[in-house]
Amino acid sequence: MSHPIMSRSKDEGFVFSIIILTLTELVGLVGLVGNGIILGLLSSRIHRNNFSIYFLDLASADFLFLCCHLVIVIPETLQQHFSFPHYVYDSLLALRFFFYTVGLSLLGAISMEQCAATLWPSCYHRHRPPHTSAIVCALLWALCLLLHFLSYGTCGELSGGNAGIVCSQIGLARVALLCFLLVMMCVSSLVLLLRVECGSQRRWPQQFYLITLFSVLTFLFCGLPFGIYRLSLNWMKIPPHYYCLSILMACVNSSAKPPIYLCVGKLRRLRFREPFKAVLLRALGDEEELGEGGEILDTGPVEV
């Protein structure tokens, strides 16, 4: 016969898991719709400015992360009440953290490049290679893919978790990559904010650094706990409540960027009924395509 206190504790934990699961699914579905809209709008304007490819890849990483997250969160949250094929479960775990790392890497690249564009605007526009954004995005995807193939395919979840010196080194490399990206992202965002606010000349569109600042803050408060949970999972015991909150916050992090674009694009605008496409173009710096009333002009392709 089970103790009534223990039984009540299990019931409360189950109810808490159901609440977190429901909120995660609802937020994730909204995020899928928002990132899907961003993908549809940016796919036809990928060469409008230097950052369009970054935002397109970032939306792709967030969209794919949410696709894996909304599926894997069900057996993760209801481990004692829901069975899932082991190989599918491990594959989704690997893919989810892969897209998470790609999103973090892209956000770090965006913040660092915007910092360089603000500190050295003349040198940046004069000496920047025309395909830097595409090359950087391709390298980041390839680097994250290589690191996760080594981690999950060689000594991680997909191989049964065989321990060894190589596996420890790969785990340390993942932690080092996360710490490096966090430091560079925070430093570049802080320098960007101080430069734009304290400088006498504001050469770079203000919407860009607002988007970067809000995206970085959202990741630090919402996305970082999930990364800490995943990287420390094999080294320490994680409290269940921290785990549940981390998966919900990770979903919020990947779903928050479209609302950020919308809010930034509407700053200092008195018109409330405006197409989302026009608001997005304004937020991403494509105001040359907008007429005085906010309508979208067909100006043709723009060379970067």
Side-chain angles (χ1 to χ4, degrees):
M1 183 176 180
S2 60
H3 197 277
I5 297 180
M6 297 179 58
S7 179
R8 185 176 60 181
S9 177
K10 291 182 179 179
D11 293 338
E12 292 177 353
F14 178 74
V15 172
F16 180 77
S17 300
I18 291 295
I19 294 175
I20 293 296
L21 175 60
T22 304
L23 292 176
T24 302
E25 295 291 336
L26 292 177
V27 174
L29 290 176
V30 175
L32 283 177
V33 174
N35 284 289
I37 294 175
I38 298 298
L39 288 174
L41 294 179
L42 288 183
S43 59
S44 60
R45 286 174 168 76
I46 194 172
H47 298 295
R48 285 294 174 179
N49 57 59
N50 296 336
F51 292 91
S52 295
I53 297 180
Y54 285 127
F55 288 119
L56 180 65
D57 282 46
L58 186 58
S60 302
D62 287 333
F63 184 87
L64 294 172
F65 172 85
L66 289 173
C67 289
C68 298
H69 192 61
L70 294 183
V71 177
I72 199 64
V73 73
I74 299 175
E76 272 189 327
T77 309
L78 306 177
Q79 296 180 359
Q80 300 179 354
H81 307 274
F82 188 86
S83 60
F84 209 68
H86 183 70
Y87 65 93
V88 178
Y89 181 82
D90 291 341
S91 300
L92 288 176
L93 282 177
L95 287 174
R96 183 180 62 174
F97 196 68
F98 165 69
F99 294 128
Y100 171 87
T101 308
V102 171
L104 171 60
S105 303
L106 291 170
L107 191 57
I110 292 172
S111 61
M112 285 186 283
E113 184 163 347
Q114 287 187 6
C115 181
T118 304
L119 294 178
W120 307 284
S122 300
C123 181
Y124 172 82
H125 291 289
R126 189 184 309 117
H127 298 289
R128 184 184 189 274
H131 302 292
T132 301
S133 300
I135 295 174
V136 171
C137 289
L139 290 177
L140 290 177
W141 281 90
L143 176 62
C144 294
L145 181 62
L146 175 62
L147 186 61
H148 279 72
F149 175 78
L150 292 175
S151 179
Y152 286 90
T154 304
C155 58
E157 284 85 344
L158 296 181
S159 64
N162 296 324
I165 299 178
V166 177
C167 300
S168 300
Q169 293 176 347
I170 293 176
L172 291 177
R174 295 168 65 188
V175 175
L177 176 62
L178 179 62
C179 294
F180 172 77
L181 292 172
L182 284 174
V183 172
M184 295 302 296
M185 184 173 59
C186 294
V187 171
S188 58
S189 299
L190 180 60
V191 172
L192 180 65
L193 178 62
L194 294 177
R195 173 63 176 173
V196 174
E197 289 298 327
C198 301
S200 59
Q201 295 180 349
R202 298 189 178 187
R203 297 173 179 264
W204 198 247
Q206 189 178 11
Q207 289 89 344
F208 277 120
Y209 90 85
L210 285 178
I211 288 176
T212 303
L213 178 62
F214 291 148
S215 298
V216 170
L217 290 176
T218 302
F219 176 82
L220 292 178
F221 286 103
C222 299
L224 183 59
F226 176 78
I228 296 176
Y229 159 74
R230 284 301 305 163
L231 292 177
S232 61
L233 186 61
N234 297 327
W235 299 336
M236 64 182 66
K237 187 176 180 180
I238 305 297
H241 285 74
Y242 176 87
Y243 152 73
C244 291
L245 292 176
S246 69
I247 62 174
L248 175 59
M249 292 296 99
C251 194
V252 173
N253 173 65
S254 296
S255 304
K257 295 179 185 63
I260 290 175
Y261 303 155
L262 180 63
C263 294
V264 171
K266 283 185 172 293
L267 287 178
R268 298 189 305 274
R269 293 287 170 173
L270 299 178
R271 298 186 57 185
F272 294 97
R273 294 184 179 181
E274 194 173 18
F276 179 78
K277 192 173 186 178
V279 176
L280 176 65
L281 293 177
R282 181 180 301 111
L284 299 183
D286 285 336
E287 296 189 9
E288 66 273 8
E289 294 186 51
L290 303 178
E292 295 182 357
E295 68 275 7
I296 299 175
L297 303 179
D298 188 7
T299 57
V302 176
E303 292 292 336
V304 178

